[in-house]
């Protein structure tokens, strides 16, 4: 960004804040340093209009009024009441909650907005700390490229146009939607709105949006129907079970099916303790039932209904008869999407930093390294910001008018000393994005039992204070972005017991169902913290079985026992870096290549892939890495004819062998 442009815009802000009347454009041209470089009247008008627009986009409220009573010419000023952050007082527990709410976005696209909100609040003397309550780590992720523009459209109440590919479709369709809001459910973001082409309410998963989202600027603002419950609309997309299937499953297997069963009848056991149990399982869709049971291979068999047995045979016939591919690639692949170009700094970034830095430095002891860490800059860039600030001030621009910055102290000791900056002494008000990021973070905390130890009503009070502080800038954005935390009473009980063990410092014993394998292990774990990412709760702790820090998803904890002795995390062992998400990668992971039919594109949406490329006919080639290749066998059995493993070939052969073994159970109707 042009240094001169930042200097000119900062001088304009100082001038308009300090004036008591509206200044005409010509008065501004004569008095504000930087506009003299415009050689013609038309060049000045273009420059001034661009500056006004960019300042308003940054949340700086420029008022328009009468600047010249005789000619009636428009004038401009910035009202301090609209510019400054209103006074906000937080009790200690409220400040802790606010820090937790900001932490939820730390590794997501709104992390910058949440961090800037805390920075402004600290400038105003509010004692918020985003490192408080380290035992709890709420986390949101916004990996979908379409999240940013859709958030902006919801904020600005504008329609959007985009290409959308539903499951099973070979081509994306153009959709034009009036967005009402966005909801996070089970780790995925969904947009709820009115589809103009369908003339009906629709829900769109953002991970299925292809290409860029276009915000439509013409026409009236989007109107959200009164009383619409976004979370219920998204959750209601799932069909309710209406039928019951009879299954037979091997002892100590198919735990996911057992957990949803209405009834489990143990069968006879052989000398080794093995045998078959009978399960009564609810289901809504035969195809979904078949896929779920198929993922357990020969360890689970459908007994009734007959139509489901027939569907299972058809489902597994193709993988049972498909030989491993001799070569991975059977045709030219076209990249599904190229990496977006790296985004350079926005034109208002430096100005925004300076307007935040001045009140922060005036109110407390602050140093260059701290500012550099917050804004993700080098210390050299921070000093460059300070040197620019040193050249700005009130019109007249004499030494008594300019902001005083001790550049020698900044360079030599890192201390930031700013004076003669009373015009900018109060922090800028919260933007809609900043306030909404914190309020949405609060909505995540509301569903967590871990916050029950706080004073009753603290969450509500913090939300109300934030809404008051944000004022009209927030609008209805915070209510249009919601998080739905899935859980049940059992998970809540386990979560509370984990929280109690953390507080008392006791070791836990878990019977834990592997997320990759249909396998239960016994684990002794020294708890280190609780993580909530995208609505899923995890226990983070030192696992004595693996001798390393592990994350345990609580809905996979079958039994939990608090042991009567203290947890002892080995010295030097710390918590995981979750900047890349809960999934941890390793150089030892196996690389797997899948070819997927159009109806199986969901694999590329639900799992982290190294690469995704289009093949002829709407098919997809996806490459992913996994520490447990046997999990891929289960995935391939679930996919049936809709996907196949093409590399490594030995894994493809395992899929064929297990499919054949499973089909043996269906040779005689009604038996296993």
């Amino acid at each position: 960004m042009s240094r001169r442009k930042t200097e000119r815009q900062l001088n304009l802000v100082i001038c308009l804040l300090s004036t008591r009347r509206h200044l005409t454009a010509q008065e501004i041209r004569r008095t504000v340093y930087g506009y003299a470089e415009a050689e013609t009247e038309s060049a000045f008008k273009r420059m001034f209009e661009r500056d006004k627009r960019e300042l308003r986009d940054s949340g700086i409220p420029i008022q328009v009024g009468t600047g010249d009573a005789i000619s009636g010419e428009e004038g401009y000023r910035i009202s301090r009441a609209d510019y400054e952050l209103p006074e906000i007082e937080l009790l200690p527990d409220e400040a802790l909650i606010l820090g937790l709410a900001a932490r939820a976005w730390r590794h997501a696209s709104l992390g910058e907005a949440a961090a800037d909100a805390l920075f402004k609040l600290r400038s105003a003397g509010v004692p918020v700390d985003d490192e408080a309550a380290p035992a709890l780590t709420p986390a949101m992720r916004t990996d979908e490229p379409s999240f940013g523009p859709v958030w902006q459209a919801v904020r600005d109440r504008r329609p959007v146009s985009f290409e959308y590919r539903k499951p099973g479709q070979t081509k994306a369709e153009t959709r034009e939607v009036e967005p009402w809001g966005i909801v996070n459910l089970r780790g995925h973001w969904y947009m709820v709105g009115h589809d103009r082409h369908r003339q009906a309410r629709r829900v769109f998963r953002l991970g299925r949006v292809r290409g860029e989202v276009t915000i439509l600027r013409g026409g009236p603002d989007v109107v959200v129907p009164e009383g619409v419950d976004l979370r219920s609309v998204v959750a209601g997309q799932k069909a309710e079970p209406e039928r019951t299937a009879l299954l037979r499953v091997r002892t100590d297997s198919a735990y996911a099916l057992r957990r949803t069963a209405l009834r489990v009848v143990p069968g006879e056991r052989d000398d080794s303790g093995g045998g078959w149990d009978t399960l009564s399982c609810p289901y809504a869709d035969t195809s979904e039932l078949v896929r779920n049971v198929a993922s357990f291979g020969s360890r689970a068999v459908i007994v009734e209904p007959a139509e489901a047995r027939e569907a299972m045979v058809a489902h597994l016939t193709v993988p049972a008869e498909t030989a491993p591919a001799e070569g991975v690639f059977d045709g030219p692949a076209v990249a599904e999407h190229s990496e977006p170009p790296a985004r350079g700094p926005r034109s208002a970034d430096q100005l925004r930093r300076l307007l935040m830095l001045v009140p922060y430095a005036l109110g407390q002891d602050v140093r260059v390294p701290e500012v550099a860490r917050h804004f993700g800059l080098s210390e050299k860039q921070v000093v460059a910001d300070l040197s620019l600030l040193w050249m700005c001030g009130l019109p007249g621009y004499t030494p008594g008018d300019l902001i005083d910055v001790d550049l020698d102290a900044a360079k030599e000791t890192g201390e930031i000393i700013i004076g003669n900056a009373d015009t900018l002494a109060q922090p800028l008000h919260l933007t809609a994005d900043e306030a909404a990021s914190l309020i949405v973070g609060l909505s995540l905390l509301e569903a967590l039992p871990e916050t029950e130890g706080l004073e009753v009503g603290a969450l509500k009070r913090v939300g109300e204070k934030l809404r008051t502080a944000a004022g009209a800038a927030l609008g209805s954005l915070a209510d249009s972005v919601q998080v739905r935390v899935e859980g049940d009473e059992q998970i809540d009980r386990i979560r509370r017991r984990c929280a109690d063990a953390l507080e008392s410092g006791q070791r836990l014993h878990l019977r834990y169902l592997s997320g990759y394998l249909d396998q239960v292990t016994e684990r002794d774990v020294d708890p280190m913290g609780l993580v909530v990412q995208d609505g899923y709760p995890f226990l983070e702790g030192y696992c004595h079985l693996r001798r390393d820090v592990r994350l345990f998803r609580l809905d996979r904890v079958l039994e939990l026992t608090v042991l009567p002795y203290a947890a002892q995390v080995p010295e030097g062992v710390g918590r995981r870096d979750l900047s890349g998400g809960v999934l941890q990668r390793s150089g030892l992971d196996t690389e797997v290549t899948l070819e997927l039919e159009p109806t199986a594109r969901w694999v590329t949406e639900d799992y982290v892939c190294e690469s995704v490329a289009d093949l002829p006919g709407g098919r997809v080639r996806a490459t992913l890495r996994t520490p447990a290749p046997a999990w891929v066998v289960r995935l391939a059995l679930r996919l049936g004819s809709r996907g196949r493993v093409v590399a490594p070939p030995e894994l493809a052969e395992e899929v064929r062998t297990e499919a054949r073994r499973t089909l043996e159970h269906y040779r005689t109707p009604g038996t296993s």
Side-chain angles (χ1 to χ4, degrees), residues 262-562:
L262 301 174
R263 185 183 182 195
V264 178
V265 180
E268 294 184 2
R269 301 291 188 259
D270 55 27
D271 293 339
S272 63
W276 293 85
D277 297 333
T278 302
L279 277 58
S280 299
C281 293
Y283 72 100
D285 178 73
T286 299
S287 297
E288 184 65 18
L289 170 69
V290 167
R291 289 192 290 269
N292 287 339
V293 177
S295 67
F296 296 99
S298 59
R299 291 164 296 157
V301 183
I302 298 176
V303 178
E304 295 177 357
E307 66 176 28
R309 287 178 62 86
E310 294 171 1
M312 178 66 79
V313 172
H315 180 82
L316 292 178
T317 296
V318 171
E321 296 177 350
T322 302
E326 294 182 2
V328 174
F329 307 117
D330 64 353
V334 180
E336 183 180 38
H337 50 75
S338 58
E339 289 294 324
R343 182 179 67 85
R346 293 173 300 178
S347 61
D349 278 351
Q350 192 176 29
L351 176 66
R352 177 181 56 83
R353 290 199 304 269
L354 292 172
L355 292 176
M356 293 171 62
L357 174 59
V358 171
Y360 190 69
L362 288 174
Q364 55 197 305
D365 178 27
V366 60
R367 297 182 179 271
V368 170
E370 176 189 346
V371 174
R373 283 193 302 272
H374 175 82
F375 291 112
L377 303 173
S378 68
E379 294 184 17
K380 183 178 180 180
Q381 288 173 304
V382 174
V383 173
D385 281 357
L386 292 172
S387 67
L388 185 151
L389 187 65
W390 185 52
M391 301 298 294
C392 299
L394 292 166
Y397 306 107
T398 66
D401 299 321
L402 295 175
I403 295 173
D404 185 19
V405 180
D406 192 335
L407 291 177
D408 291 335
K411 294 174 182 177
E412 295 171 8
T413 67
E415 187 177 6
I416 297 178
I417 302 174
I418 297 175
N420 200 32
D422 292 346
T423 305
L424 302 178
Q426 295 301 313
L428 179 62
H429 67 78
L430 297 178
T431 66
D433 287 354
E434 291 165 353
S437 67
L438 296 182
I439 292 174
V440 175
L442 291 173
S443 73
L444 172 60
L445 295 178
E446 287 176 355
L448 305 182
E450 290 78 14
T451 60
E452 290 177 354
L454 301 171
E455 182 184 343
V456 177
L459 277 164
K460 182 178 180 181
R461 291 199 307 272
V462 173
E464 291 174 347
K465 291 179 179 180
L466 273 177
R467 290 175 187 273
T468 300
L474 179 62
S476 59
L477 176 60
D479 297 323
S480 301
V481 183
Q482 300 178 8
V483 181
R484 183 181 177 93
V485 178
E486 295 294 291
D488 54 33
E489 292 183 5
Q490 179 182 353
I491 294 174
D492 289 343
R493 284 196 300 269
I494 291 173
R495 201 157 42 181
R496 281 190 286 267
R497 296 183 72 187
C498 289
D500 292 342
L502 272 166
E503 185 175 355
S504 61
Q506 289 176 274
R507 182 170 296 175
L508 296 170
H509 179 79
L510 311 180
R511 288 190 70 241
Y512 188 70
L513 175 61
S514 168
Y516 289 110
L517 306 174
D518 184 29
Q519 187 179 90
V520 174
T521 56
E522 304 282 338
R523 312 284 189 104
D524 281 355
V525 178
D526 292 333
M528 300 169 68
L530 285 164
V531 176
V532 180
Q533 177 162 303
D534 298 325
Y536 288 109
F538 296 80
L539 168 69
E540 183 178 7
Y542 181 80
C543 176
H544 288 268
L545 178 65
R546 304 301 184 207
R547 297 184 179 180
D548 197 3
V549 177
R550 289 288 188 269
L551 288 160
F552 301 93
R553 216 169 93 172
L554 296 191
D555 59 345
R556 294 175 182 154
V557 175
L558 304 182
E559 293 180 18
L560 181 145
T561 303
V562 180

Side-chain angles (χ1 to χ4, degrees), residues 1-14 32-35 37 51 350-351 354 387-393 397 402:
M1 171 179 177
S2 166
R3 180 183 175 90
R4 290 196 301 255
K5 182 177 181 181
T6 304
E7 187 178 338
R8 182 182 69 244
Q9 289 183 345
L10 183 57
N11 281 322
L12 177 60
V13 171
I14 295 172
V32 175
Y33 181 78
Y35 285 111
E37 64 184 57
D51 286 348
Q350 192 176 29
L351 176 66
L354 292 172
S387 67
L388 185 151
L389 187 65
W390 185 52
M391 301 298 294
C392 299
Y397 306 107
L402 295 175

Side-chain angles (χ1 to χ4, degrees), residues 90-98 453-459 461-462:
L90 296 181
L91 299 174
D93 60 344
E94 296 171 346
L96 183 149
I97 287 174
L98 202 56
L454 301 171
E455 182 184 343
V456 177
L459 277 164
R461 291 199 307 272
V462 173

Side-chain angles (χ1 to χ4, degrees), residues 5-61:
K5 182 177 181 181
T6 304
E7 187 178 338
R8 182 182 69 244
Q9 289 183 345
L10 183 57
N11 281 322
L12 177 60
V13 171
I14 295 172
C15 174
L16 296 183
L17 271 171
S18 60
T19 183
R20 294 186 177 182
R21 64 178 181 84
H22 293 84
L23 300 178
T24 66
Q26 291 305 316
E27 287 177 312
I28 290 170
R29 185 182 184 185
R30 290 193 300 269
T31 57
V32 175
Y33 181 78
Y35 285 111
E37 64 184 57
E39 297 180 354
T40 65
E41 180 67 17
S42 60
F44 164 71
K45 287 183 178 180
R46 288 194 300 270
M47 182 185 295
F48 183 52
E49 290 301 318
R50 184 169 56 248
D51 286 348
K52 285 192 297 178
R53 183 177 64 252
E54 292 182 3
L55 291 181
R56 284 168 174 154
D57 289 344
S58 296
I60 299 172

Side-chain angles (χ1 to χ4, degrees), residues 182 228 477 611:
I182 45 181
V228 64
L477 176 60
S611 64

